Amino acid sequence: MPIVFPFDPDIARASTIPARLYHDPVYLELEMERVFAHTWQLVGRTDQVATHGQFFTADVGPNSIVVLRDGEQLRAFYNVCLHRAGPVASGCGKRNTLQCRYHGWTYALDGSLQRTPGMEGTTQFRPDEMRLVPVAVTTWGPLVFVNLDGKAPPLTEVLEDLPARVAPFHCERMQYVTTRSWEIACNWKVYVDNYLEGYHVPVVHPGLNKELDMERYRVEPHRWFSIQHAPLRPVHGGHAERRYDPAATDVPEAVYAWLFPNTMLNVYLGQMQTNVVIPLGPDRCRVVFDWYADNPPADAATDPTWVKLMAFSAEVQDEDIGICEVVQRNLRSRVYDRGRYSAEHETGVHHFHSLLHEAMT
Ligand code: FES
Ligand SMILES: [Fe+2]
């Protein structure tokens, strides 16, 4: 199958990427290797690996990974036993060693192989030279990222000045509140495309559209990420009930950042939300939202402010899911292959497709 697909770096002339890239299983396999195995993936939180021995597992495409705290050191490994590929960790928890759930080989937290019961008769076997395969791991505020590509540029380089841009919000002090996830019948790129433009807001999200000043909406593409600026609408006298207070002038504008390929970071005053889009198949993905706050509620499920916040978020998310699932079906229609971009409103989508094109070809 040709992995080369046409792409024009000039958005004014460009057509969108071919429809088959959104449902071809072979293409997804290639994306797993060429995109997901070479980019920083948000896999968890620092509070899950705060003390010695704490660990959690996560998947990056077909690769199971374990992230753990070994004293001062945060480490990550492929969660694949060197014997016959059993799992050395499952879920999350706290352990002094990692014991494979298949035949019990045991690894120290630094990945070295410590015990191999029943291997006495095996020759030219050097367990003292064997260790779990390490994976690059790093943190940014409360977030833990891994990168399967040992030669990838460090996350700090990829993020450029993004940490400085969100510094006024003090994300590093925020604490985890809650998680919601949705399984969606669309290719992961359909969801990402949709996130990257505000063009659909007036039509798909009437409620959100009341809050945002879409006239002043703009996208700022960087090398590996983009930022969407969606300022709040000014208040007009006697305007209907508003969710946010745009009159509060000391409030910094919210930051909506997307990091190639599948991570979003939405930062507001006092709280932030991460969204990770996990491919489950050519026409299926899971989207995981994690919320963090300066002052986490005792229970987000009953706290009135959080109940409202989550309900509004779910309303917007349901609207997005509805349109994404229909688009996914239509991408298989025999009459559709490529469309055109709005040069004014879809620079974020075009930027994403340019990075995809670069990674895939
Ligand atoms: S596969 Fe791990 S001990 Fe056998
Ligand atoms: Fe949307």
Side-chain angles (χ1 to χ4, degrees), residues 81-86 100-105 107:
C81 178
L82 302 173
H83 175 222
R84 276 177 42 223
C100 177
R101 219 176 59 211
Y102 203 173
H103 315 92
W105 284 20
Y107 300 84

Side-chain angles (χ1 to χ4, degrees), residues 232-274:
L232 295 175
R233 223 183 254 280
V235 216
H236 300 296
H239 202 277
E241 191 194 322
R242 288 286 301 271
R243 206 166 301 274
Y244 305 114
D245 179 13
T249 48
D250 54 332
V251 175
E253 186 194 304
V255 175
Y256 303 95
W258 163 80
L259 179 64
F260 178 71
N262 64 332
T263 303
M264 295 97 172
L265 189 68
N266 307 310
V267 189
Y268 315 85
L269 194 70
Q271 53 119 338
M272 73 165 179
Q273 178 206 76
T274 59

Side-chain angles (χ1 to χ4, degrees), residues 11 196 219-221 342-352:
I11 187 171
L196 288 172
V219 178
E220 187 192 325
S342 158
E344 193 181 332
H345 301 286
E346 290 175 306
T347 45
V349 184
H350 181 260
H351 170 246
F352 166 40

Side-chain angles (χ1 to χ4, degrees), residues 50-104:
T51 61
H52 180 74
Q54 267 193 302
F55 73 92
F56 66 82
T57 57
D59 292 333
V60 178
N63 297 288
S64 177
I65 305 297
V66 55
V67 177
L68 59 84
R69 162 90 38 204
D70 177 16
E72 288 295 288
Q73 201 67 38
L74 191 62
R75 301 186 193 276
F77 302 99
Y78 286 88
N79 183 16
V80 181
C81 178
L82 302 173
H83 175 222
R84 276 177 42 223
V88 298
S90 325
C92 57
K94 192 169 173 169
R95 298 265 191 287
N96 284 321
T97 54
L98 298 176
Q99 187 180 42
C100 177
R101 219 176 59 211
Y102 203 173
H103 315 92

Side-chain angles (χ1 to χ4, degrees), residues 139-295:
T139 62
W140 175 28
L143 314 177
V144 177
F145 291 81
V146 298
N147 195 320
L148 305 192
D149 176 2
K151 296 195 204 82
L155 181 64
T156 47
E157 207 172 285
V158 170
L159 295 177
E160 298 175 28
D161 66 340
L162 190 54
R165 304 270 289 262
V166 300
F169 299 92
H170 296 289
C171 301
E172 70 285 354
R173 279 193 239 145
M174 291 189 192
Q175 290 169 52
Y176 171 70
V177 177
T178 187
T179 299
R180 292 282 180 284
S181 76
W182 292 263
E183 212 177 297
I184 309 177
C186 73
N187 183 274
W188 70 278
K189 299 188 293 300
V190 169
Y191 189 90
V192 173
D193 288 349
N194 179 71
Y195 176 86
L196 288 172
E197 46 91 355
Y199 194 19
H200 71 274
V201 170
V203 182
V204 175
H205 306 299
L208 180 62
N209 193 44
K210 281 192 207 129
E211 310 285 335
L212 302 178
D213 183 359
M214 294 313 293
E215 292 289 310
R216 290 193 294 144
Y217 167 90
R218 68 190 175 87
V219 178
E220 187 192 325
H222 288 251
R223 180 69 180 94
W224 296 109
F225 66 91
S226 62
I227 295 178
Q228 296 180 70
H229 297 273
L232 295 175
R233 223 183 254 280
V235 216
H236 300 296
H239 202 277
E241 191 194 322
R242 288 286 301 271
R243 206 166 301 274
Y244 305 114
D245 179 13
T249 48
D250 54 332
V251 175
E253 186 194 304
V255 175
Y256 303 95
W258 163 80
L259 179 64
F260 178 71
N262 64 332
T263 303
M264 295 97 172
L265 189 68
N266 307 310
V267 189
Y268 315 85
L269 194 70
Q271 53 119 338
M272 73 165 179
Q273 178 206 76
T274 59
N275 314 152
V276 179
V277 188
I278 301 166
L280 299 177
D283 47 16
R284 249 192 138 64
C285 64
R286 176 177 298 120
V287 178
V288 182
F289 284 24
D290 279 353
W291 275 267
Y292 299 78
D294 282 343
N295 301 303

